[in-house]
Amino acid sequence: MGVENLVLPNSVVQVRVESVRHWTDDVFSLRVTRPVSFRFRSGEFVMLGLLVEGRPLLRAYSIASPAWDDGLDFYSIKVKDGPLTSRLRHVKPGDDVLLGRKPTGTLVLDALKPGHRLFLFSTGTGIAPFASLVRDPETYEKFQQIVLTHTCRRVADLEYGAKLVAGLASDPLVGEVAPAHLTYYASVTREDYVHTGRITSLIESGRLFRDLGVAGLDSVGDRVMICGSMAMISDTRTLVEAAGLEEGSNAAPGDYVVEKAFAD
Ligand code: A2P
């Protein structure tokens, strides 16, 4: 998988795969070396891919590690017959992959107005940008309470997020603050589990807030980030707007921001 002898477009660089983990038959994560010049804000995404028949094939991926980390983590679905992920799923440590030079995105703290509590609503691989944000000390400087929700089809799909959250207490930068300020709420939709149901149903019924022992969404103190499929984003956005929150952007910070989980 070496790409040494090919001329790459200026927009990408070649980076080395450090590790790969297959979590289930449907999802895997990889860690690549971070070029010294590569800067990003926690929560952003970047193009990632491979040379396929001599041409770069890239997709937008959320960076799943925080801005201070030496490496770059990504969390991906494996789409059967997907042009990129059907190949990317086979990468191994020591292989080279292509990384875009320009990270970007709206799931960043800068796009939110100051608030008290931050809800991070995710489904499936949509947890990736939040894996970055919950390991960034700035998240805890800006918000008193962070609620990370992750909804997946099956219990096995929750493992990536559960491991991430379990590791926060020993994280070198947020280990002191995260355990006291972050609440993790996982639910599944197609198996029995302690919490079941789509995040939209859990918000709409008030079940999420009752389970957490907190008041429902309020536009004064709550800020929200949403990441999942297009349908999940659209449906969750409707509920968040019904609570009076207004969408923000890098140019005009607001009460909530959305992103799509990208792959194939
Ligand atoms: P469900 O099992 O009821 O489809 P996917 O892998 O398809 O992206 O789904 C990940 C999780 O997101 C699943 O638990 C799925 O629930 C849920 N989901 C799918 N569509 C929506 C939606 N429109 N709103 C909220 N949650 C959704």
Side-chain angles (χ1 to χ4, degrees), residues 123-124 151-153 187-190 198-200 229 231-232 235-236:
T123 56
T151 304
C152 294
R153 296 181 183 192
S187 75
V188 301
T189 47
R190 302 195 189 188
R198 289 183 170 194
I199 189 60
T200 40
S229 64
M232 176 274 188
D235 292 352
T236 310

Side-chain angles (χ1 to χ4, degrees), residues 123-134:
T123 56
T125 54
I127 194 173
F130 303 151
S132 172
L133 282 158
V134 300

